[in-house]
Amino acid sequence: MKYEELISKMTLEEKASLMSGKDFWQTMNIEHLGINSMFLSDGPHGIRKQAEAADHLGLNASIPATCFPTAATVANSWNEELGEQLGRHLGEEAVAQKVNVLLGPGINMKRNPLCGRNFEYFSEDPYLAGKMGAAYIRGIQSKGISACVKHFCANNQEERRMSIDTIVDERTLREIYLTAFEIAIKEGNVKTVMSSYNMLNGSYTNENIHLMRDILRDEWKYSGCVVTDWGGSNDRVAGLLAGNELEMPTTAGDTNIEIINAIRNGTLKEEVLDECVDRLLNLIFTTEEVFKNFERKFSKEEHHKMAQKVAEESIVLLKNQNDILPLKKGVKVAVIGDFAKNPRYQGAGSSIVNPTKIVNTLECLKSFHLVSVGYEPGFERYGKKNKKLIDNACNLAEKADIVLLYIGLDEATEAEGLDRMNMELPGNQIELLNKVHEVNPNIIAILSCGAAIEMPWIKKVKGLIHGYLNGQAGARAVINILTGTVNPSGKLAESYPMLYEDTPSYHNFPGKEVSVEYREALYIGYRYYDTAKVKVLFPFGYGLSYTTFAYSNLEVKKDKVSFDITNTGTMDGAEVAQLYIGCKSEDIFRPRKELKGFHKEYIQAGETKTVTISLDDKAFRYFNVKTSRWEIESAVYEIMIGASSTDIRLSHSVYIEGTGAPLPYEKDQLPAYFSGKVDNVSVFEFEKLVGKKIPVSTWNRTIPLCYNDTIGQCKYAKGLFARLAYRMILFAHWFLKKIGKRSTANLIIMSIYHMPFRGMARMTGGIMNMRMLDGILMMVNGHFFKGLRHLLKERNKMIRYRKLVVGGHE
């Protein structure tokens, strides 16, 4: 151990105290040993260090920081170098605010378009997400602090996220849900990993020995720290045994006692605790060096310009009928849509940033060559219908050559803690679009949202720009694209299905009670659509430019491929070339093609450049469930170079000698998986894939509620007190929505309804402990007075204990 001598000077109580937070955002310090507190802070696209009372929900304002585009936006740039630059800017601001650990990036897969936190994740593809995540990490950590990759792993829904059990087969876990983490951890050399809230195949990720020890520590050789998501610790001792160093936030000493008792009764060896302390000390000492000689400032203007640059590279041009874009000089435009004046530029929840400045479209238009005939909001932001707003918008549209229609999803629709109800735009916005089209068909729609949506209205717009959630400088970036000041080069990092019903996880999202079953296995996103031949609206990797590119001269070697790209248009631009590989053997089921490399190249008009993409150790591998190892199948593989997953420009077949592993599956038992048509897999076939009986996915309503049941389950509680509380929660939610307080109503669902009972102890910063919670559960389960007496007794014990502790320190 690196700090063995220092650890030998600690008492058992001091070592245990380091394993949980001092408060909501800081770790414990031990002053007489020279161990300082370490500060952890959200977030993945801007620093969210709160100046006042701390919370995890984004309620209280934070110190101003640059709000960069979200991960879902930046992924569309397909530019690792840009991601690393953004990371350096994040790291610089973290240092300026004296943050040791920046809690990001988030690299969970976009398994389903409705996941409420998709705006915070990169892609449906693990290779792209991993590479972009590693780039962020390298940039952040170049400034001397730690990034924290999250949420490890298979955390792909927000509903019941703190208690849901993700059921997934081992091969899918490895190839889809762990590959991005593997790339980010190995190539980014990340210092901190955050475990996710959910269970994985029966045990909480934070306590999952297979995940945390076998894979993370032993296979990947990870030597950094693991921190729980806030309030995500279930059994503290089990977490330590799995190799978790830090529980956040504070439990006011409650779990320290659990650790001490476990060592004294032999459940936990003190050497295990010492190892965790050693890794935590290394994180503290290596990230505090930068603060010894640092200036607490950064250039707000330079960082704002960086946010604009990132947005410009990440905006995706989806439609350009009759070359309506870029806008011609002197054209008369009507600006319609609430988002033009009040931009939707980030998500909601723990990642929310207080921007250093914010620009909107109306301000930006003044400095361009466009003639604005005026602005109308057109719709109410949170979905309420308003005929007068539509009429005013139509009157304005009649006066213009072109309508710039700013539409999208609001902050209450896309938020941490709850999933979207559907893939639709709000009805009042669609009604506005239809009415405006009747008076002026020259509509260019500018979308603002962090995930895929359905577009049944797409034939009624001639131009479509998707800005995603493009940060505080996004409005000017969009105008630069509209006017041709910048040539669009973004490409989609996720597929856009025609309908939500077309998605492979449609029948298995979200898990509503005990578990969620990943029956689609490997086939998420384009892996499914391409293999099952399901038509999509926009494919993975798709994006238009104001110029054109031709591909030629493909050459395939053992460790790389090279080819030429020529800019055949009249405007300088950038092209994202994508390398896909497909195995022609039918002995092991696989997607038709999988992304195995990419490169973004800037090419002047008329110029030709040679692009080289490496074939790395992930190019031909698959995870064999019989050998429990990565293997290569002896087969013919098709090497494909494309402008998107469906627009393949060059291809070449090569034979690859494999590792000789036995075939992992029997074809006749897995027909859906061998065909790729996995939209409705039977329980029998899924159990064959997983290799065991699937647990019952519904609650047992006959047994008492316990720590890991949610407050929303009080509907079925035996205690009248609990059922009354349940109805009061539902009424508060209904009432707040009724009076237009949708964001506050959502917080009730996020922070109360779907919260496990243990969260009352783990998330309240020591206001309540688990023994007090026992009293509440007695009340919930029909023993009101017994539970109340127990609650008050344990509360008094806690107060007396803390007085003794404080007195001892004094």
Side-chain angles (χ1 to χ4, degrees):
M1 293 191 302
K2 190 174 181 180
Y3 300 99
E4 188 171 0
E5 185 179 346
L6 179 59
I7 293 170
S8 69
K9 298 176 182 177
M10 295 182 192
T11 64
L12 177 58
E13 288 74 14
E14 286 173 333
K15 287 188 280 190
S17 74
L18 290 172
M19 297 292 95
S20 60
K22 177 181 180 178
D23 54 29
F24 213 84
W25 296 112
Q26 294 185 93
T27 61
M28 187 62 70
N29 63 308
I30 305 177
E31 194 173 334
H32 73 95
L33 293 175
I35 300 170
N36 298 319
S37 290
M38 180 174 62
F39 199 98
L40 300 89
S41 175
D42 290 313
H45 56 267
I47 316 303
R48 191 179 76 93
K49 186 174 182 181
Q50 290 172 304
E52 302 297 335
D55 71 85
H56 190 52
L57 308 177
L59 292 173
N60 296 320
S62 55
I63 298 167
T66 309
C67 182
F68 293 98
T70 67
T73 313
V74 184
N76 296 330
S77 74
W78 294 64
N79 189 335
E80 294 175 72
E81 184 181 337
L82 185 72
E84 193 163 337
Q85 289 177 23
L86 191 158
R88 286 196 289 271
H89 283 73
L90 286 170
E92 190 175 322
E93 293 196 28
V95 171
Q97 294 195 27
K98 213 168 181 182
V99 169
N100 301 69
V101 179
L102 185 60
L103 302 175
I107 59 172
N108 295 84
M109 290 296 94
K110 296 187 178 184
R111 174 181 178 246
N112 185 284
L114 300 188
C115 174
R117 214 167 176 179
N118 275 352
F119 66 85
E120 205 172 320
Y121 302 138
F122 289 109
S123 178
E124 68 188 32
D125 182 84
Y127 192 87
L128 177 57
K131 290 290 186 178
M132 293 302 295
Y136 270 51
I137 291 162
R138 288 192 297 270
I140 292 167
Q141 294 190 167
S142 71
K143 298 301 178 180
I145 63 161
S146 171
C148 177
V149 69
K150 61 185 185 181
H151 306 88
F152 190 64
C153 68
N155 177 195
N156 307 107
Q157 69 176 65
E158 291 299 288
E159 185 170 332
R160 292 183 54 79
R161 61 180 178 166
M162 293 183 76
S163 55
I164 201 74
D165 188 4
T166 298
I167 309 299
V168 58
D169 68 284
E170 184 71 10
R171 183 181 171 200
T172 298
L173 178 67
R174 296 299 196 109
E175 294 188 22
I176 301 297
Y177 297 100
L178 287 180
T179 290
F181 285 97
E182 180 186 2
I183 294 170
I185 287 167
K186 289 182 177 179
E187 297 183 15
N189 196 26
V190 74
K191 296 178 180 180
T192 312
V193 171
M194 181 189 288
S195 57
S196 55
Y197 283 127
N198 56 288
M199 300 173 78
L200 175 64
N201 292 328
S203 64
Y204 281 94
T205 59
N206 186 54
E207 304 161 10
N208 193 305
I209 297 294
H210 178 55
L211 181 67
M212 292 293 176
R213 286 283 186 187
D214 299 344
I215 297 174
L216 181 64
R217 300 289 187 189
D218 297 341
E219 189 177 320
W220 296 352
K221 308 301 180 187
Y222 178 66
S223 59
C225 280
V226 176
V227 59
T228 67
D229 203 341
W230 265 235
S233 176
N234 171 53
D235 182 322
R236 187 66 192 101
V237 174
L240 273 177
L241 287 167
N244 166 267
E245 283 74 30
L246 183 60
E247 173 190 23
M248 291 297 288
T250 181
T251 59
D254 199 30
T255 53
N256 299 359
I257 298 169
E258 294 176 18
I259 294 169
I260 293 165
N261 289 340
I263 288 173
R264 287 176 176 164
N265 66 28
T267 306
L268 179 70
K269 291 182 179 179
E270 193 164 354
E271 295 80 45
V272 174
L273 175 61
D274 290 349
E275 287 175 11
C276 290
V277 171
D278 189 65
R279 288 193 289 260
L280 183 65
L281 290 176
N282 190 58
L283 182 63
I284 293 170
F285 292 144
T286 57
T287 58
E288 69 181 9
E289 284 294 316
V290 69
F291 302 123
K292 291 179 180 178
N293 297 295
F294 80 105
E295 292 187 20
R296 200 162 184 163
K297 62 181 180 179
F298 62 93
S299 171
K300 292 182 181 179
E301 192 55 40
E302 192 272 328
H303 281 226
H304 182 81
K305 288 178 181 177
M306 180 63 190
Q308 181 181 317
K309 177 185 175 183
V310 173
E312 288 169 350
E313 272 211 44
S314 305
I315 291 168
V316 186
L317 176 61
L318 292 175
K319 185 176 181 180
N320 193 15
Q321 184 178 329
N322 302 325
D323 292 329
I324 195 170
L325 290 169
L327 296 172
K328 310 299 184 289
K329 187 175 182 179
V331 69
K332 291 190 293 182
V333 298
V335 180
I336 296 173
D338 180 75
F339 296 143
K341 185 176 182 181
N342 304 296
R344 172 83 205 289
Y345 59 96
Q346 65 175 324
S350 64
S351 67
I352 199 163
V353 178
N354 181 14
T356 55
K357 64 188 287 190
I358 184 72
V359 295
N360 67 34
T361 300
L362 305 184
E363 294 165 351
C364 295
L365 275 176
K366 296 172 185 176
S367 57
F368 284 84
H369 56 244
L370 304 175
V371 178
S372 174
V373 299
Y375 160 76
E376 286 291 341
F379 60 86
E380 291 197 21
R381 193 177 188 91
Y382 297 108
K384 187 177 179 181
K385 294 195 174 184
N386 188 320
K387 185 177 182 299
K388 184 177 180 181
L389 290 180
I390 292 176
D391 291 343
N392 291 345
C394 290
N395 291 336
L396 183 67
E398 287 182 298
K399 301 173 185 176
D401 300 321
I402 287 175
V403 174
L404 301 181
L405 185 62
Y406 284 75
I407 54 179
L409 301 178
D410 60 70
E411 299 84 351
T413 300
E414 290 185 292
E416 178 183 353
L418 68 159
D419 300 308
R420 287 194 288 158
M421 300 297 292
N422 54 55
M423 278 183 65
E424 301 167 8
L425 272 183
N428 62 343
Q429 294 185 38
I430 296 175
E431 184 181 358
L432 169 67
L433 191 157
N434 290 332
K435 292 294 184 182
V436 168
H437 182 265
E438 291 175 6
V439 300
N440 190 336
N442 297 317
I443 300 172
I444 297 169
I446 298 93
L447 269 177
S448 297
C449 54
I453 60 169
E454 294 174 357
M455 302 184 195
W457 40 263
I458 194 167
K459 291 183 179 178
K460 293 186 177 180
V461 300
K462 291 186 177 179
L464 178 58
I465 283 178
H466 202 333
Y468 270 71
L469 301 179
N470 49 25
Q472 66 180 50
R476 182 168 289 276
V478 168
I479 296 293
N480 282 342
I481 298 290
L482 288 168
T483 58
T485 306
V486 173
N487 191 349
S489 63
K491 297 205 174 192
L492 293 175
E494 61 189 316
S495 307
Y496 274 57
M498 301 292 289
L499 298 168
Y500 177 56
E501 289 80 357
D502 294 337
T503 58
S505 56
Y506 170 71
H507 293 290
N508 295 287
F509 180 93
K512 286 288 186 180
E513 296 192 3
V514 174
S515 62
V516 56
E517 297 168 4
Y518 285 24
R519 294 196 193 183
E520 71 282 356
L522 304 173
Y523 300 101
I524 72 167
Y526 73 91
R527 285 169 166 78
Y528 168 70
Y529 301 121
D530 284 2
T531 308
K533 296 181 173 59
V534 176
K535 185 180 179 182
V536 296
L537 181 64
F538 295 115
F540 176 79
Y542 174 86
L544 300 174
S545 171
Y546 295 148
T547 191
T548 53
F549 299 95
Y551 291 65
S552 61
N553 302 327
L554 174 62
E555 185 177 355
V556 179
K557 294 185 178 180
K558 184 178 180 181
D559 60 347
K560 62 185 177 182
V561 300
S562 60
F563 50 93
D564 293 338
I565 303 180
T566 302
N567 185 336
T568 54
T570 58
M571 190 175 186
D572 297 348
E575 173 70 335
V576 176
Q578 301 154 43
L579 166 65
Y580 296 91
I581 295 180
C583 181
K584 293 190 173 182
S585 167
E586 296 181 355
D587 291 334
I588 302 170
F589 70 79
R590 298 172 186 257
R592 186 179 179 188
K593 66 173 78 77
E594 296 180 280
L595 183 75
K596 297 296 181 178
F598 59 90
H599 180 78
K600 189 168 193 174
E601 189 68 40
Y602 294 84
I603 309 173
Q604 294 179 357
E607 183 185 18
T608 298
K609 283 191 173 181
T610 299
V611 172
T612 299
I613 300 176
S614 298
L615 294 172
D616 61 20
D617 63 331
K618 297 165 189 66
F620 303 104
R621 75 178 190 176
Y622 75 97
F623 192 82
N624 188 304
V625 293
K626 276 193 176 177
T627 64
S628 295
R629 289 175 50 188
W630 292 102
E631 306 283 3
I632 295 174
E633 182 184 5
S634 296
V636 174
Y637 293 82
E638 187 176 8
I639 311 297
M640 294 165 273
I641 305 298
S644 77
S645 63
T646 60
D647 184 9
I648 302 302
R649 304 293 183 88
L650 304 169
S651 67
H652 180 78
S653 294
V654 295
Y655 177 80
I656 300 295
E657 188 67 40
T659 52
L663 294 177
Y665 306 113
E666 295 180 29
K667 268 189 184 181
D668 60 340
Q669 293 188 341
L670 302 170
Y673 295 109
F674 274 90
S675 71
K677 296 177 180 179
V678 295
D679 53 311
N680 202 3
V681 175
S682 69
V683 174
F684 173 81
E685 189 170 348
F686 185 52
E687 288 183 339
K688 287 293 181 184
L689 179 70
V690 175
K692 62 181 180 181
K693 193 79 174 170
I694 302 304
V696 176
S697 62
T698 54
W699 295 315
N700 184 342
R701 291 168 170 77
T702 64
I703 61 175
L705 297 182
C706 61
Y707 294 145
N708 288 321
D709 290 316
T710 62
I711 295 169
Q713 288 174 248
C714 285
K715 176 181 180 180
Y716 309 108
K718 291 182 180 179
L720 178 63
F721 153 77
R723 295 198 302 275
L724 180 61
Y726 169 81
R727 293 187 179 280
M728 289 175 65
I729 290 167
L730 288 188
F731 175 78
H733 180 257
W734 170 84
F735 181 74
L736 288 166
K737 287 183 72 175
K738 186 78 173 174
I739 63 173
K741 303 287 186 180
R742 285 183 62 199
S743 294
T744 308
N746 286 346
L747 283 172
I748 288 177
I749 298 297
M750 171 184 169
S751 59
I752 301 176
Y753 191 86
H754 290 312
M755 174 82 74
F757 283 100
R758 65 176 160 82
M760 297 170 69
R762 301 301 197 212
M763 285 283 278
T764 54
I767 294 172
M768 178 180 293
N769 61 32
M770 297 297 281
R771 291 168 298 283
M772 291 168 65
L773 182 58
D774 288 336
I776 289 177
L777 284 170
M778 289 177 197
M779 296 162 71
V780 165
N781 289 313
H783 305 286
F784 182 83
F785 293 107
K786 181 181 178 182
L788 181 61
R789 286 194 299 271
H790 185 90
L791 173 65
L792 295 174
K793 176 183 172 184
E794 292 299 330
R795 179 178 176 274
N796 290 333
K797 277 186 183 179
M798 184 178 73
I799 292 169
R800 287 196 301 271
Y801 171 77
R802 289 182 184 170
K803 283 181 178 178
L804 284 171
V805 171
V806 172
H809 282 304
E810 290 177 346

